[in-house]
Amino acid sequence: MDLPRIFTIRESGHRIHNPMTAAKFAALGEALRLAPGARMLDLASGSGEMLCTWARDHGIGGTGVDISTVFTEQARARAVELGVADRVGFVHGDAAGHVADEPVDVAACIGATWIGGGVAGTAELLERSLRPGGLMLIGEPYWRRTPPDEETAKDCHGSSLADFLPLPDLIERFQGLGYDVVEMILADQDSWDRYVAAQWLSMRRWLDGNPDDELAPEVRRELTTEPARHARATREYLGWGVFALMRR
């Protein structure tokens, strides 16, 4: 059980595996008024940057779960680096269906709502780990501008027009599931660039060092096509945000 290797090649230089930046996650942590000693469950936690930095900055603890062996090891190393390994832990496993042993104060899934089959299923999954009155964090794309056709939508990471909603409709979707939206922080075009463009350098350096690898043709195709595709579609049409929810 692991991510396909192409993901770890693309994002080998990343600490954050989505179009948030360290500054945006820091701002979100401040905005949520996290209390020292609060417990967090982070499903699809990637390299653990959000949980580790919030543990350092706000004194919280918790657990991250991710399917990638590479990212899980990076998360454990980051916890040691930041001096929070006594308060946070990372589990290699499938986040789909994972429920905390005890209710947590914050339950998060940042950019991986496929683990619950979509927003509604992921909210239901997170709810099973969340104490009454706790905070739920969901990271989800939305249409910043509605693409003019399906071909343009597909250029946004293989999406379909039906996959995402405009931002106001996404907020109303959360409300329709019975949650108050109590905070949000949104990616912008620059943070999209920092996420996506950083992959290009990682892919090029990997290609230079691994020209005969079986994945080299696939990586070469991506490096050739993705910069223009990102400039044409993703950064123009696709938004991305983290939304803090509380059950009504």
Side-chain angles (χ1 to χ4, degrees), residues 119-121 123 138 172-179 245 247-248:
V119 167
I138 292 182
E172 289 177 346
R173 173 72 167 139
F174 292 134
Q175 293 170 329
L177 293 172
Y179 296 94
L245 315 175
R247 170 66 74 181
R248 292 202 186 110

Side-chain angles (χ1 to χ4, degrees), residues 55-69:
R56 176 196 63 193
D57 297 341
H58 304 287
I60 71 168
T63 302
V65 182
D66 198 272
I67 199 170
S68 169
T69 54

Side-chain angles (χ1 to χ4, degrees), residues 58-81:
H58 304 287
I60 71 168
T63 302
V65 182
D66 198 272
I67 199 170
S68 169
T69 54
V70 171
F71 295 162
T72 300
E73 286 305 311
Q74 290 176 348
R76 291 168 178 161
R78 186 64 167 153
V80 172
E81 179 184 0

Side-chain angles (χ1 to χ4, degrees), residues 5 39 49 68 70 84 103 124 129 180 239:
R5 193 159 58 101
R39 300 295 297 175
E49 189 71 2
S68 169
V70 171
V84 296
E124 190 278 331
S129 295
D180 288 320

